[in-house]
Amino acid sequence: MPPADPWILFDIDGTLVDSGRLIVRVWRQVAAEFDADAEAILAECHGRRDAEIVPMFFRPPDVPAVLARIQELEAAGGDLLSPVPGALELLTSLAPERWAAVTSGPSGLMTGRLRAAGLPIPAVLVAADHVRHGKPDPEGYLAAARALGAAPEACVVVEDAPAGIAAGVRAGMFVAALTTTHTADRLTGADVVLDRLSDLRDIGAAAPAARE
């Protein structure tokens, strides 16, 4: 069952910020420029750090240039960002010390995305440049719980991608998955799957899926 009066740890892309159009545009453009398979990249990139994805699909000599190009394109794409429906209302209803964000993007970029979407910046934000190991490793979620002074079992992770779900599960936290990026059949391992972020308010009444 979900913890009573939990601390809530949110992913950002696809969970709080609708960045889907930007992500697709960026990866399609860099794939075209550097002769890579955009569809294969898009099947794997959500919820994972660029530094881990790029070496999987691009020639080793191109990796530094690809990473720099991604940053350039992402920084220029603020017009394609918007809040996930219900995100602002939910975040402003939470006490600042009861929630955090854990993201696979760099901290500067992700605070910029939150601002562009009109969302508050959390007091605790654990980003790609704050951890040694990205999702699906649990390091980021465990670091956020420590910063909030919360036990892992008292936290609810809100995610939209398989890598993030795996990270939350490995951290020993209750995981709520949103179908904002993937269909429900891709969100295996989550305790509960939600169609809308606003449904998180009713999570206590949800029947979580049993883990193996």
Side-chain angles (χ1 to χ4, degrees), residues 124-172:
V124 174
L125 189 152
V126 180
D129 44 313
H130 299 150
V131 297
R132 292 183 60 193
H133 305 288
K135 303 170 186 178
D137 192 278
E139 181 181 351
Y141 280 116
L142 291 172
R146 285 194 302 271
L148 291 171
E153 62 270 18
C155 296
V156 169
V157 164
V158 188
E159 272 283 354
D160 72 308
I165 291 169
V169 170
R170 293 177 186 179

Side-chain angles (χ1 to χ4, degrees), residues 40-131:
I41 296 168
L42 289 167
E44 297 292 336
C45 69
H46 296 284
R48 300 181 65 179
R49 296 191 295 184
D50 294 341
E52 295 166 349
I53 290 294
V54 169
M56 295 169 58
F57 296 99
F58 294 85
R59 292 181 292 268
D62 291 336
V63 167
V66 172
L67 290 170
R69 183 63 170 143
I70 289 170
Q71 290 188 19
E72 178 184 1
L73 293 169
E74 288 184 336
D79 59 313
L80 296 178
L81 301 172
S82 61
V84 167
L88 180 60
E89 295 80 4
L90 177 59
L91 294 182
T92 54
S93 74
L94 297 174
E97 68 274 12
R98 301 294 295 191
W99 70 280
V102 180
T103 174
S104 296
S107 53
L109 178 68
M110 301 314 291
T111 55
R113 284 191 181 176
L114 289 169
R115 290 192 183 99
L119 298 175
I121 308 300
V124 174
L125 189 152
V126 180
D129 44 313
H130 299 150
V131 297

